[in-house]
Amino acid sequence: MIRERYLNLAIMLALLAVPLWAWVSDEPFTITLATRVAILALAGVGLNLALGLGGLVSLGHAAFFGLGGYAMGILAHHAQTYTPLMESPFLIEGTKSMPVIWLVAVLVSALAAFAIGLLSLRTTGVYFIMITLAFGQMFYYFTISWPAYGGEDGLSIYVRNGFPGLNTLDPIQFFGLVYGVLALVLVFSATLARSRFGLALAAARQNEERVRTVGLDAFRLRLMAFTISGAITGLAGALMADLNRFVSPTMFSWHMSGEFIVFIILGGVGRLFGPVVGAGLFIILEHILGGLSEFWMIYLGALLLAVVLFARGGLIGAFSGPEVGHD
Amino acid sequence: MSILLLIEQVLNGLQFGLMLFLMAAGLTLIFGVMGIINLAHGSLYMVGAFAAAGVAGATGSFALGLVAALAAAAMAGAIVEITVIRRLYTRDHLDQVLATFALILIFSEGTRWLFGSFPLFLDVPAALSGAVTLPGGIEYPLYRLAIIVIGLAVAAGLFWLIARTRIGIRIRAGESDREMIAALGVDISRLYTLVFALGAALAGFSGALVGAIQSVQVGMGEPVLILAFVVIVIGGIGSIRGAFVGAILVGLTDTLGRFLLPVLFGFVMDPSAATSVGSALASMLIYILMAAVLLFRPTGLYGRA
């Protein structure tokens, strides 16, 4: 068995090596695939805070992914058409600057996660799953029927937004940026899991009564975790929108939420790098199976079923053995 | 806005609600008895619609199509229970979500592979086509009226089955204490297969009935599945009565919201803005209803605390 830490390092290096090799051999499509992996992994890392650490099975994280995407779409749309977002009571203009867009995406999705969490965390178990799913769909149907930003057709952004000091239109530079964000969020996520907050949250997942006995409020811990988790997934949404230069209601679709959970399961629940491996595997499968058959989703479904029924612990679990101290 | 139009929309809402009930009743039974959250319930709805469209298209008989829908969905449900769901009873909800999500992928792509991506059409039977004039001079499609009557009849039958028959007693016993009824000599795994097949048949039946109004296509079950979840959250998990009240409430709120909100906003805005704001808000209305119910009764209207 390999120590999980070394495995994580190898995963991170592999995710860096593949696009660098593609850059050297001039294959921009592979760089784009690697960028997609990194962005989807980021969304999965966000969800994993709620799901892996907090035990909150949210089937509505596409809501935050979509909100982040539309934060980018709406701001950049106003900037490219030179129309202000709002004129009264004060002037708000669109922007093409990534840091500003990221900040807005994080704030908007954190706010939405806080509001949804406030309502749905009153319940547990299967209620929580259904309610997060329903609220996620609410955003989906709202974007479809709201005509101002493209409705069902979505919004196209013609030029990728800028980041100071980088040429974001160059695939390898944009990948580097996304990779940096992913690395920072992974460090943040690891620190959070080891902090007093993270320990209390994990304890609330394992035994809520004991957590209450020592005077901690499990609801608050979960609400906090859900909010941070939503914010990270929102950031991933903004990056995905910039990768595609396009946002549409499908970002809000509940299949998206399902796929985020799939990344976590394929990689291993509660593992820091689980979503990174899962997202990588998902994209590789999509690429290989998609080349074999138009109906590749059948194979994906069968594989997923096999992993759930027979191979618990995911890919990282298969290589590094059962996690120490995990329930 | 005339009062006749309003009554017509109320009837539409009722019809929508009853079809939602058929979906939600199966889901809530399966959850109540077996503790399983089944995301693939929408796929069983789709299986019913495709079976009906296929058989009705080949034989020309709508009634045979309905029988095929019931049989195909019940069979698909029984197979799914025996091969997959049975292994999930002792697992947590996360595993159940994933396994049934995987089933959706398999069902949807499998159907696309068999029938192609183009929607099928299921014609309303000749005997039920056309419109009837209701008291008060309302012209209403006969088929939709028939669906309302069938939906009410199935609901009554289901209540009777649960409350009055031996199987119903076992189902209720299974809900409250599954170990005890196993100890009393009831074959619990057969009971589970039966309940799952019953829920699947209800879903397939409603899929076939709705299939004649809308087009029959891959993915048609998913919007209905999510609405059925909203219904269950509002009504309370495991309660058939809750599913009924919740379904009618959701059906009426959604249909009337889409009809009334643009009109209401029309009083304060210009027509085009009123239509867009009204329809956008109407699409969120049932979720707002769900949030309101959650605030006051986190376990739903008829849920056990």
Side-chain angles (χ1 to χ4, degrees), chain B residues 51-204:
Chain B
V55 169
T59 63
S61 159
F62 187 77
L64 274 183
L66 278 187
V67 172
L70 278 170
M75 197 129 77
I79 293 171
V80 161
E81 198 276 341
I82 290 167
T83 52
V84 177
I85 304 289
R86 191 166 282 186
R87 298 165 206 275
L88 297 171
Y89 293 134
T90 52
R91 300 292 190 80
D92 58 14
H93 293 317
L94 179 60
D95 284 352
Q96 299 175 356
V97 162
L98 270 158
T100 51
F101 184 72
L103 284 176
I104 294 183
L105 297 182
I106 296 172
F107 267 114
S108 293
E109 290 303 300
T111 313
R112 204 192 303 279
W113 181 60
L114 278 174
F115 290 91
S117 296
F118 293 105
L120 298 182
F121 292 96
L122 179 58
D123 291 324
V124 171
L128 292 176
S129 59
V132 280
T133 313
L134 297 177
I138 304 162
E139 291 271 317
Y140 196 72
L142 181 59
Y143 182 72
R144 282 178 185 262
L145 201 65
I147 290 193
I148 293 179
V149 174
I150 295 172
L152 284 173
V154 173
L158 195 61
F159 279 112
W160 173 78
L161 180 82
I162 301 288
R164 293 272 181 268
T165 64
R166 194 156 195 89
I167 289 185
I169 292 171
R170 288 186 176 169
I171 289 175
R172 278 181 292 140
E175 269 184 308
S176 47
D177 195 335
R178 64 185 78 166
E179 272 138 37
M180 182 58 93
I181 69 156
L184 288 174
V186 174
D187 185 347
I188 197 94
S189 63
R190 257 183 62 195
L191 181 70
Y192 283 1
T193 311
L194 187 79
V195 170
F196 205 87
L198 174 68
L202 286 174

Side-chain angles (χ1 to χ4, degrees), chain B:
Chain B
M1 180 190 74
S2 70
I3 198 80
L4 291 185
L5 210 54
L6 185 69
I7 295 175
E8 193 184 327
Q9 293 299 326
V10 170
L11 284 174
N12 280 343
L14 201 63
Q15 176 252 311
F16 183 35
L18 283 166
M19 291 302 105
L20 275 180
F21 169 70
L22 295 187
M23 275 292 277
L27 266 180
T28 207
L29 260 183
I30 289 166
F31 185 80
V33 177
M34 302 179 258
I36 288 276
I37 171 167
N38 178 24
L39 294 183
H41 209 64
S43 300
L44 298 166
Y45 175 91
M46 179 184 74
V47 165
F50 270 92
V55 169
T59 63
S61 159
F62 187 77
L64 274 183
L66 278 187
V67 172
L70 278 170
M75 197 129 77
I79 293 171
V80 161
E81 198 276 341
I82 290 167
T83 52
V84 177
I85 304 289
R86 191 166 282 186
R87 298 165 206 275
L88 297 171
Y89 293 134
T90 52
R91 300 292 190 80
D92 58 14
H93 293 317
L94 179 60
D95 284 352
Q96 299 175 356
V97 162
L98 270 158
T100 51
F101 184 72
L103 284 176
I104 294 183
L105 297 182
I106 296 172
F107 267 114
S108 293
E109 290 303 300
T111 313
R112 204 192 303 279
W113 181 60
L114 278 174
F115 290 91
S117 296
F118 293 105
L120 298 182
F121 292 96
L122 179 58
D123 291 324
V124 171
L128 292 176
S129 59
V132 280
T133 313
L134 297 177
I138 304 162
E139 291 271 317
Y140 196 72
L142 181 59
Y143 182 72
R144 282 178 185 262
L145 201 65
I147 290 193
I148 293 179
V149 174
I150 295 172
L152 284 173
V154 173
L158 195 61
F159 279 112
W160 173 78
L161 180 82
I162 301 288
R164 293 272 181 268
T165 64
R166 194 156 195 89
I167 289 185
I169 292 171
R170 288 186 176 169
I171 289 175
R172 278 181 292 140
E175 269 184 308
S176 47
D177 195 335
R178 64 185 78 166
E179 272 138 37
M180 182 58 93
I181 69 156
L184 288 174
V186 174
D187 185 347
I188 197 94
S189 63
R190 257 183 62 195
L191 181 70
Y192 283 1
T193 311
L194 187 79
V195 170
F196 205 87
L198 174 68
L202 286 174
F205 190 59
S206 72
L209 288 177
V210 175
I213 305 179
Q214 297 163 355
S215 58
V216 175
Q217 56 188 339
V218 173
M220 66 185 284
E222 290 168 18
V224 192
L225 172 82
I226 286 150
L227 288 177
F229 279 157
V230 174
V231 164
I232 293 177
V233 169
I234 289 176
I237 296 178
S239 161
I240 298 272
R241 189 186 311 166
F244 188 77
V245 174
I248 301 294
L249 214 55
V250 167
L252 285 177
T253 308
D254 193 59
T255 310
L256 292 182
R258 280 173 206 284
F259 172 61
L260 289 178
L261 279 180
V263 180
L264 285 179
F265 279 104
F267 290 124
V268 288
M269 293 175 190
D270 64 274
S272 73
T275 310
S276 66
V277 173
S279 61
L281 201 63
S283 69
M284 299 171 76
L285 209 56
I286 51 166
Y287 304 101
I288 297 170
L289 176 74
M290 179 184 82
V293 170
L294 273 176
L295 273 180
F296 298 105
R297 295 190 67 113
T299 52
L301 294 175
Y302 292 87
R304 276 158 284 184

Side-chain angles (χ1 to χ4, degrees), chain A residues 66-135:
Chain A
L67 279 173
Y70 268 84
M72 173 279 185
I74 290 172
L75 285 172
H77 172 74
H78 282 282
Q80 83 182 6
T81 55
Y82 301 102
T83 47
L85 201 64
M86 193 167 87
E87 277 176 295
S88 62
F90 44 85
L91 184 77
I92 300 180
E93 298 215 48
T95 176
K96 296 286 285 180
S97 157
M98 270 192 209
V100 180
I101 287 171
W102 293 354
L103 186 70
V104 174
V106 164
L107 286 178
V108 169
S109 42
L111 198 69
F114 183 78
I116 292 177
L118 209 55
L119 281 166
S120 51
L121 287 168
R122 292 160 60 91
T123 63
T124 52
V126 71
Y127 269 105
F128 183 78
I129 299 174
M130 293 188 195
I131 291 162
T132 46
L133 172 60
F135 279 128

